[in-house]
Amino acid sequence: MDGLTAPKHHFLYVFHFLLLIQSTKVLCYQYKVGDLDAWGIPTQANPHVYTYWAKNHIFNIGDSLLFLYPPSQNSVIQVTEQSYNSCNLTDPILYMNDGNSLFNITQAGEFYFTSGAKGHCDKSQKLLLSVSGNGSYAPIGLPAPSPSYPTVFGSIPMAPSSSLYSSSSSLSLTHLVIFSIAAIGFWLCAV
């Protein structure tokens, strides 16, 4: 008789293990910069592709940015805010030129990128993103249309609303309940 109950216990162990795996969440993502538009000079049809792209994604500490481009024609440099605004390509913070460049977001703050190819920054091949201290993206305003050099910065990002915190705490409560049920199930299987 004891031999018949063993598979039942194994099934419960597997079920609880799968339940625990299901309740975990992914902590970081890899984003391809520009999505379908690889890293390159924006087209006239979509001159603010990188501004729109950054605005439509939520970046967290631990995420990474993947820049894809032909290495013989382009590169990516991380620059200061001043160099970003003036398209100054000298003395970059980081230089990447392999065509498959990965940048890991390891801290909060604003990150400024532009092409290292001469003239590309002046044609809006640049990216600004902001990661706040809690790891969430703070949106940056879109540039105002202008016949001269466009202004890339908008209003100061607003702090997240309290509704975001309440949904986050209910999510944590849900994970706690699922973990508790799984732990009780393991204990019952062991008894």
Side-chain angles (χ1 to χ4, degrees):
M1 231 17 175
D2 287 332
L4 295 176
T5 59
K8 177 182 171 188
H9 286 282
H10 291 299
F11 172 76
L12 287 175
Y13 282 124
V14 170
F15 175 75
H16 284 113
F17 176 74
L18 293 174
L19 183 64
L20 282 174
I21 290 173
Q22 185 69 25
S23 67
T24 60
K25 71 177 197 177
V26 175
L27 299 176
C28 58
Y29 294 95
Q30 183 181 81
Y31 295 96
K32 180 182 166 216
V33 175
D35 292 329
L36 294 177
D37 298 306
W39 182 244
I41 297 173
T43 63
Q44 287 183 347
N46 195 5
H48 303 293
V49 62
Y50 301 115
T51 305
Y52 291 128
W53 180 83
K55 185 178 181 181
N56 290 316
H57 289 80
I58 298 173
F59 302 103
N60 295 301
I61 297 170
D63 290 344
S64 58
L65 304 175
L66 178 62
F67 294 85
L68 295 176
Y69 53 90
S72 62
Q73 301 171 13
N74 216 333
S75 62
V76 180
I77 57 174
Q78 183 185 4
V79 295
T80 64
E81 179 181 6
Q82 184 179 6
S83 294
Y84 178 89
N85 290 330
S86 64
C87 285
N88 180 359
L89 307 181
T90 60
D91 199 27
I93 298 168
L94 178 66
Y95 179 75
M96 300 179 280
N97 65 349
D98 65 355
N100 192 20
S101 302
L102 191 66
F103 177 82
N104 295 313
I105 301 171
T106 59
Q107 61 186 3
E110 291 186 337
F111 298 92
Y112 303 89
F113 300 95
T114 184
S115 170
K118 189 173 183 169
H120 288 208
C121 178
D122 295 318
K123 295 176 182 172
S124 299
Q125 187 183 350
K126 53 189 190 175
L127 170 69
L128 162 63
L129 62 98
S130 179
V131 178
S132 66
N134 65 2
S136 65
Y137 171 75
I140 303 293
L142 292 174
S146 170
S148 63
Y149 184 77
T151 304
V152 180
F153 300 101
S155 60
I156 297 175
M158 301 298 291
S161 67
S162 61
S163 64
L164 290 176
Y165 295 119
S166 63
S167 66
S168 175
S169 62
S170 66
L171 184 62
S172 298
L173 181 62
T174 303
H175 283 103
L176 180 64
V177 169
I178 291 172
F179 178 77
S180 299
I181 291 170
I184 291 169
F186 276 121
W187 180 76
L188 289 174
C189 287
V191 172

